[in-house]
Amino acid sequence: MNEQWIQFANEIKKMYGKDVVPLHEPTFDEKEIEYVTECIKTGWVSSVGSYVTRFEEELAKFVGAKRAVAVVNGTAALHIALKIVGVEENDEVLMPSLTFVATANAASYLGAIPHFVDVSYETLGMDPIKLNKHLEEIGVLRNGKLYNKQTGRRIAAVVPMHTFGHPVDLDRLLEVCDKFNLVLVEDAAESLGSYYKGRHTGSFGKVSAISFNGNKIITTGGGGAIITNDEHLADYAKHLTTTAKIPHLWEYVHDEIGYNYRMPNINAALGLAQLEKLPQLIENKRKLTLKYDKLVSNLDDVKLIMENINSKSNYWLQTLILGNSYDINDVLNYLNNNGIISRPVWTPIHKLSMYINCPKADLSITESLKNKLLNIPSTPLNFKES
Ligand SMILES: *Cc1c(COP(=O)(O)O)cnc(C)c1O
C-alpha cells in the first residue's frame, strides 16, 4: 500500500489516540453504572422490574412509534415481528442478500423461505425499482395474495434492512408493497437514530426490529426490540415473548407455545442509560463522518459512504467503497495489520450453504459490492470543539 494509506492509518490512530483502533466499542459512563448498580442492590435483575417498562416507553417515544417491546436480542425481535404479521411455514419472505444472517434465520425459524433481492448503490439497501420489476416477472396475485409463479409458494412479507444505518428508499418500497399487497417489516437493527424524510426508521413497517447487541449504536449487553404502531400487535408480541402466560397471581396457564424472549431488567437498565445519551452519540458519529470525509478525500479511487438526500443516517458503521483499482484483500490486510481494525461487508446470504438453494432475483449489485465495501473504526469520539 502506498504513502496515502500509511498516512490514512496514522491519522486514524492519532484521532483515536490509540495504536490499535477497534471497529466499534460501547460508550459507558456514570449513568450506566448507576442504573445497573441499582438493579443489583435492589435484587431486581431478571424478569421483573421497572426498567423494562421505562426502557420500552422511552424507546417508543424516541422512535416515534406507539409501542416498543424489549426482547433478548435483535434476532428474536425479527422472529416475533415476522410471526405476528402472519408469516407462516412455507411462505417466502423477500429480503436483501446483503445483510447480516439473522434476517434470513428469523424467517427460517418460522419454516419460511428467504427470497433474496438486490440492493442499490445509492442506499446499500433493497432496491424498490428492481424489486418491482422482479415481482412483475415472477409474482401473481390471487384473492389478494401474492404467489411466486416459479415455486407456487405465497410471498408473505418484505424485509428491507437499513445497511450500516443508511435508510432505504421507504416511500418507493411502500408503493411496491401496496401494489403487491405485501406487509413491510423493517430490519432496523442497525438504524436506531436514522430518519427517512424526518420520520424514524422502524416506524414505517407494520412491525420492525431493532438490535442492542454490543456492537450496535447503543447496547443492552444483548437485546432487541419490536416496534409497532399497532397496539393489538404490541400486546400480542409482549404475550408471545413472555411465554404466552395468562396473567394470574399464582397459576401457570399458557394459552399457546410462547417464547422466553423477554429482556431482563438489568439489561433494560443499561439500555435506558444508553438511550439517554443516544442524541449525543449520533451527533458525535456525524462529526466523525466529517473528519473521515476529509481523510478519505486524500485517497485515490476511494469514497466514504454518505447519507442520501431525504435521509439522516446514524452513521453506525463508517463505510469505504473502493474503486476498481483495488483488491479489497490488500486493503484489509494493510489496515488490520497496522492497527486499524476493519471488516468487509457480510458474505451475501445467498452464498451461504444453508441458503444457497433459496429463490433469488438478479443480485449483480450485491455481488459487486461484496468486494468493494469495508467498514472502518466507527466508535463515536467525544469531540469537544464544534
Ligand atoms: C445485529 C443485527 C441483527 C440481529 O441482532 P442481534 O441482536 O445480534 O440478534 C439483525 N439484523 C441485522 C441487519 C443486524 O445488523
Side-chain angles (χ1 to χ4, degrees):
M1 303 299 289
N2 63 24
E3 193 60 42
Q4 293 177 350
W5 285 89
I6 296 167
Q7 182 145 11
F8 182 65
N10 285 337
E11 290 290 335
I12 296 173
K13 285 188 236 182
K14 216 162 75 189
M15 189 163 69
Y16 278 93
K18 288 181 177 176
D19 286 337
V20 176
V21 187
L23 188 69
H24 198 279
E25 284 185 314
T27 308
F28 297 139
D29 46 55
E30 292 307 313
K31 253 295 157 41
E32 283 80 359
I33 295 170
E34 184 192 326
Y35 289 3
V36 171
T37 304
E38 192 199 317
C39 289
I40 295 168
K41 283 190 171 161
T42 59
W44 298 113
V45 296
S46 189
S47 55
V48 185
S50 62
Y51 277 114
V52 174
T53 312
R54 280 172 68 191
F55 182 56
E56 288 177 341
E57 285 171 1
E58 290 303 317
L59 183 63
K61 210 185 292 171
F62 186 89
V63 173
K66 281 215 176 96
R67 297 278 297 277
V69 175
V71 295
V72 287
N73 57 53
T75 311
L78 270 172
H79 176 193
I80 299 303
L82 291 172
K83 183 173 169 72
I84 63 179
V85 301
V87 172
E88 292 178 352
E89 195 172 344
N90 220 29
D91 283 343
E92 291 180 11
V93 176
L94 296 157
M95 64 182 68
S97 174
L98 199 73
T99 180
F100 180 56
V101 70
T103 321
N105 287 348
S108 303
Y109 298 159
L110 294 165
I113 293 111
H115 181 149
F116 300 114
V117 296
D118 212 1
V119 296
S120 81
Y121 271 120
E122 286 69 36
T123 65
L124 306 181
M126 199 181 267
D127 182 338
I129 296 166
K130 278 185 97 166
L131 175 67
N132 179 61
K133 190 165 159 272
H134 180 61
L135 292 180
E136 277 182 348
E137 279 165 23
I138 63 108
V140 58
L141 276 162
R142 267 187 257 129
N143 303 323
K145 288 179 177 177
L146 185 67
Y147 289 85
N148 181 340
K149 279 191 282 197
Q150 294 168 344
T151 62
R153 289 188 288 246
R154 179 173 80 119
I155 302 177
V158 180
V159 187
M161 193 278 285
H162 307 294
T163 310
F164 308 137
H166 298 290
V168 301
D169 187 350
L170 281 156
D171 275 352
R172 281 183 146 153
L173 210 50
L174 281 164
E175 279 172 27
V176 178
C177 287
D178 257 12
K179 175 172 161 186
F180 292 99
N181 207 15
L182 289 163
V183 179
L184 185 78
V185 173
E186 294 174 76
D187 181 344
E190 305 183 354
S191 65
L192 181 63
S194 299
Y195 297 79
Y196 177 80
K197 296 190 176 170
R199 234 175 99 187
H200 199 286
T201 54
S203 69
F204 292 80
K206 186 163 186 183
V207 182
S208 304
I210 296 180
S211 166
F212 307 109
N213 190 31
N215 63 350
K216 295 300 201 292
I217 189 158
I218 64 167
T219 186
T220 58
I226 298 156
I227 304 290
T228 182
N229 283 313
D230 185 319
E231 298 277 0
H232 172 76
L233 286 180
D235 288 341
Y236 186 40
K238 191 75 189 175
H239 185 62
L240 271 180
T241 55
T242 50
T243 68
K245 185 177 179 290
I246 308 286
H248 190 282
L249 270 180
W250 54 82
E251 292 293 357
Y252 293 95
V253 181
H254 307 259
D255 63 357
E256 67 177 296
I257 297 174
Y259 301 84
N260 184 15
Y261 278 178
R262 185 192 164 98
M263 178 184 281
N265 200 49
I266 192 166
N267 299 78
L270 186 58
L272 189 65
Q274 289 267 282
L275 198 55
E276 286 172 7
K277 64 157 67 111
L278 179 57
Q280 188 61 52
L281 291 175
I282 293 167
E283 200 170 302
N284 287 342
K285 288 236 184 221
R286 297 182 69 81
K287 286 182 182 162
L288 180 64
T289 305
L290 297 180
K291 298 256 179 200
Y292 267 129
D293 197 30
K294 279 209 197 96
L295 295 185
V296 173
S297 70
N298 296 322
L299 298 171
D300 290 332
D301 206 20
V302 181
K303 278 197 291 202
L304 184 70
I305 299 283
M306 302 297 278
E307 67 194 354
N308 279 290
I309 200 157
N310 290 331
S311 291
K312 186 175 173 231
S313 176
N314 67 3
Y315 285 105
W316 170 53
L317 286 185
Q318 300 286 338
T319 310
L320 299 182
I321 180 158
L322 304 174
N324 290 327
S325 60
Y326 289 98
D327 179 335
I328 193 170
N329 292 310
D330 293 341
V331 178
L332 287 167
N333 245 318
Y334 176 76
L335 291 177
N336 284 295
N337 285 322
N338 285 278
I340 308 301
I341 306 306
S342 42
R343 293 284 178 266
V345 73
W346 315 276
T347 298
I349 307 186
H350 71 283
K351 303 271 193 192
L352 301 179
S353 60
M354 60 284 196
Y355 295 121
I356 211 156
N357 292 319
C358 288
K360 54 180 183 283
D362 171 76
L363 297 172
S364 48
I365 306 297
T366 299
E367 303 221 356
S368 82
L369 283 173
K370 168 61 191 151
N371 295 316
K372 287 181 163 51
L373 293 179
L374 69 142
N375 298 123
I376 53 178
S378 306
T379 306
L381 279 163
N382 197 7
F383 293 105
K384 300 284 190 305
E385 83 280 25
S386 62

